[in-house]
Amino acid sequence: MKPLYLLLLLLSSQAFAEEIGSPYLAQAQAGDSRAQYYLAETYYSSGDDKQAEQWAEKAATGGDVDAMALLSQIKFKHGDLVQAKGLAQQAMVAGSAPGAVMLARLLVNTQAGKTDYPQALSLLEKAAENTEDDAAVDAQLLLGLIYANGVEVAQDDAQATTWFKRSSTLSRTGYAEYWAGKVFQQGEVGFITPNKQKALYWLNLSCSEGFDTGCEEFETLSGE
């Protein structure tokens, strides 16, 4: 759940890695699995999924469990939810917090097989408590989405608001509410059906929290 889209696509992969993959590139090439994972994350954030997957596979082979979670995220993005679920399960069992969050995300998606909301909530609540781990941001955001969505779990906007605020506190005020609005605007196959009213509700809340992009998106969607 970290949709970062930047533009260095005109650069070659090597030049790109040298520019923003440092200081990870040299260590990654030397076989450091954690550096390989960080480099894979860098490529993934830039939109270069091919390079991200290659480095994540190397890192996972070297024993980095978070790299396995990243591979799950890449498979999820490209529609291979069954493989994504298997990778997330392995990462979670090995102790990866991002793996636990990815598994929860797949456990609430009908496209990945039978849903299991109780297990998903348990995984997310545990991940959400460790605020020293970046996975807590995504865990809290997903908890908010589950309660805001109200499928297999009673809709509870108060609970959703609490989780979104906690997530935004760890990232940026109004950020989680903004992404909730965008998810309800666009939908997520197997999990969330597009809902303009819910999208407007959360975008408006993001705006009221002082997130300017939330205000812009609210005004645009209101005019449609």
Side-chain angles (χ1 to χ4, degrees):
M1 301 229 190
K2 298 178 182 177
L4 306 172
Y5 306 104
L6 299 177
L7 52 141
L8 296 167
L9 300 179
L10 293 178
L11 300 174
S12 68
S13 297
Q14 182 71 11
F16 172 79
E18 288 173 348
E19 183 167 330
I20 70 170
S22 298
Y24 310 126
L25 181 60
Q27 291 174 284
Q29 290 175 330
D32 185 317
S33 61
R34 195 59 179 172
Q36 290 169 345
Y37 164 64
Y38 288 138
L39 185 58
E41 271 203 324
T42 301
Y43 277 119
Y44 184 70
S45 295
S46 78
D48 190 339
D49 292 357
K50 183 177 179 180
Q51 285 285 337
E53 186 170 8
Q54 289 176 358
W55 283 107
E57 285 175 348
K58 290 179 181 179
T61 299
D64 194 293
V65 294
D66 289 338
M68 198 175 296
L70 179 57
L71 282 173
S72 173
Q73 190 171 356
I74 293 169
K75 297 296 182 184
F76 178 91
K77 178 180 176 181
H78 292 280
D80 190 349
L81 274 64
V82 173
Q83 190 170 358
K85 192 173 185 178
L87 288 164
Q89 177 77 36
Q90 293 177 59
M92 182 276 294
V93 170
S96 168
V101 175
M102 272 307 302
L103 181 58
R105 189 175 181 186
L106 288 152
L107 287 171
V108 298
N109 192 302
T110 59
Q111 300 291 300
K114 185 178 180 181
T115 59
D116 188 339
Y117 273 76
Q119 185 184 2
L121 289 171
S122 177
L123 289 169
L124 292 172
E125 287 166 2
K126 182 178 179 180
E129 291 307 312
N130 184 11
T131 55
E132 297 300 313
D133 194 314
D134 290 343
V137 176
D138 293 331
Q140 292 164 355
L141 174 56
L142 186 50
L143 280 164
L145 285 171
I146 289 171
Y147 284 109
N149 195 32
V151 172
E152 294 194 37
V153 171
Q155 183 177 339
D156 188 334
D157 287 347
Q159 272 271 57
T161 299
T162 296
W163 285 115
F164 288 145
K165 282 185 178 296
R166 288 182 63 178
S167 180
S168 292
T169 297
L170 295 176
S171 55
R172 182 177 175 183
T173 303
Y175 188 74
E177 294 85 350
Y178 164 75
W179 278 111
K182 294 301 292 182
V183 171
F184 279 110
Q185 180 183 358
Q186 299 167 3
E188 183 176 303
V189 177
F191 177 34
I192 288 178
T193 302
N195 186 313
K196 183 177 180 179
Q197 290 308 117
K198 287 186 177 183
L200 286 169
Y201 178 85
W202 294 110
L203 288 172
N204 184 49
L205 186 55
S206 172
C207 179
S208 69
E209 291 286 331
F211 192 60
D212 291 342
T213 307
C215 299
E216 294 167 6
E217 292 291 336
F218 175 78
E219 292 176 5
T220 299
L221 186 58
S222 296
E224 293 180 357

